Amino acid sequence: MKKSLIRLWSQARTQILVWYIVLMSGSTVVAIGAIRHTLFVELDARVKNSMYQELEEFKRLHLEHRLIEGDTLAENAATLFDVFLSRNVPEDDEFYITILDGRFYDASSRALPKLLQPDGQLVKQLEKITLQEFRQNATSEGEIVYLTYPIYVGERFKGVFVVVHITTGEREEVQDMLVAITNIMLWVLVIASVIAWLTAGRILKPLQSLTKAARSISESDLTQRIVIKGNGEVMELANTFNDMMERLEQAFTNQRQFTNDIGHELRTPITIIRGHLELMGDDPQEQREAIALVIDELDRMASLVNDLILLAKSEQPAFLRLELIALELLMAELYAKAQAIAPRQWKLEGQDAIADVQIYGDRYRLTQAVMNLVLNATQHTNPIDLISLGANITNTEVQIWVEDTGEGIAPEDQPHIFKRFSRGNHHQIRGIEGSGLGLAIVQSIIHAHGGTIRLQSNLGTGSTFTIVLPNNR
């Protein structure tokens, strides 16, 4: 049970919901407190305005008659109280109290609450007041607010007019309203939490798919991918995961291919070496021949391993060392090196079109790729055949080609010539020293530069290999 609770709490969905509830609960408490404060402030302001309005009416009555000399109403405070009480009706929970000569005189209602009874403590307190004042008191029987106005006839103090408002009922109504608001907000919180739980589950569903895919990954199955529609961080995470899986799958594929290639290609020379060593006798001439054959096979194995290592490195980001290369000078160097490989009818084309042109690439790797194509051409041509090297540039492409007039490549072999260890039925497709990796190395180098390699060939008329690189000048 404890482990289940720990597992449940550790889930992102649960933590999101808990923090959502905490945030919403805190917001609800703050909101209810703000609403309560606002309602009570508005209540106090409304009660105060109402009381001052009643007092203004009484003052107008008093001032009107006080301005008339000899007016009996101005001289007789009791008559003034009687006239006002007969003309005005207070609002609910509001009462008029009149004090004459320090004693309770009359009130606006005969059914006064206990708090305002003539013998009550509050009335006794009001009988002692001689100044205008506004006060708010909390008593055991409720909240009251009173406003006093002293009455003078000439210089003589005669009494006090008091407006009393009992706010207990209104405050209870506010409290009931707050209880109702609190209940509504709690229900809203519950419903919102359920919706948040469901929404979090929907949002985090790709993470569950990610976890499931990660658990299902094995060395033999790296094909798992996450399919998500939409946008946002989760979509970005899924895309990142899928990209990572693509790289892992490619890396494992390259690793398996490298292992398979090594096992396949080294088995034959190892068998040859072992067979000759086992059959080698005591004759010195036979021993020399066996040793020469073994050394030749070992050299071929070393060349093969170097080619395989190069193909493996071509998949790495740091495979190239890019720099600006003067294309005209590069082609002149390649032409000079090509002429030293074998006696052929050599030709260099397009130098005028690439004068002062610079390209962005790895000089060493590009030289290696072109020389592999040249070597391949020499292996399928005769001394009387023509081999042309050339280059051209457009707004978007840099083209470098090796063209020969040799035996050409059969159509059925052309789709496979760039595969590792591929050899055509007519044996036109060969790499360095016949390893079957030369054209695969060329393709890897060109792909690392972001380019492609094209082939045009017909049996009996020759072949043209064209390296196409992006023009990044």
Side-chain angles (χ1 to χ4, degrees), residues 33-81:
I35 293 172
R36 181 181 183 278
H37 176 75
T38 301
L39 291 176
F40 280 122
V41 168
E42 291 181 352
L43 172 62
D44 293 340
R46 180 173 57 80
V47 169
K48 187 175 183 179
N49 291 336
S50 175
M51 295 174 68
Y52 271 100
Q53 184 178 354
E54 298 293 344
L55 179 60
E56 289 299 322
E57 293 181 5
F58 180 83
K59 289 169 67 175
R60 280 198 299 271
L61 178 64
H62 182 211
L63 292 174
E64 286 175 2
H65 292 278
R66 191 172 63 180
L67 294 175
I68 303 175
E69 186 177 355
D71 193 318
T72 57
L73 185 59
E75 297 177 356
N76 191 336
T79 304
L80 179 64
F81 290 153

Side-chain angles (χ1 to χ4, degrees), residues 51 60 65 238 260 270 386 394 405 417 432 442 444 447 459:
M51 295 174 68
R60 280 198 299 271
H65 292 278
N260 294 336
I270 289 175
L386 174 66
T394 67
T405 59
I417 64 170
I432 297 177
V442 172
S444 297
H447 283 178
L459 279 176

Side-chain angles (χ1 to χ4, degrees), residues 373 376 408-425 428-431 436-443 453-457 463-465:
L373 293 177
N376 187 73
I409 302 171
E412 63 269 21
D413 293 333
Q414 293 181 20
H416 311 291
I417 64 170
F418 293 106
K419 295 180 180 179
R420 300 182 184 189
F421 305 110
S422 175
R423 293 179 175 86
N425 295 330
Q428 292 100 347
I429 306 166
R430 301 180 185 271
L437 293 175
L439 295 181
I441 290 174
V442 172
Q443 186 179 58
I453 182 167
R454 301 169 185 167
L455 168 65
Q456 290 181 341
S457 181
S463 304
T464 302
F465 289 87

Side-chain angles (χ1 to χ4, degrees), residues 243-312:
D243 292 341
M244 178 193 70
M245 291 305 302
E246 290 286 349
R247 294 192 297 271
L248 284 176
E249 185 177 9
Q250 183 63 41
F252 274 86
T253 300
N254 293 339
Q255 183 184 32
R256 285 195 295 268
Q257 185 175 16
F258 181 81
T259 303
N260 294 336
D261 292 344
I262 285 287
H264 178 267
E265 291 300 319
L266 294 185
R267 187 180 296 113
T268 299
I270 289 175
T271 302
I272 294 173
I273 292 172
R274 181 174 181 176
H276 279 78
L277 292 177
E278 288 177 349
L279 297 175
M280 184 174 63
D282 296 331
D283 182 44
Q285 179 63 27
E286 183 181 351
Q287 291 179 352
R288 284 193 295 272
E289 292 177 355
I291 290 173
L293 187 143
V294 168
I295 291 175
D296 182 68
E297 290 297 326
L298 289 175
D299 290 340
R300 191 163 71 89
M301 290 171 61
S303 175
L304 178 64
V305 170
N306 290 333
D307 289 345
L308 289 172
I309 291 174
L310 175 60
L311 286 171

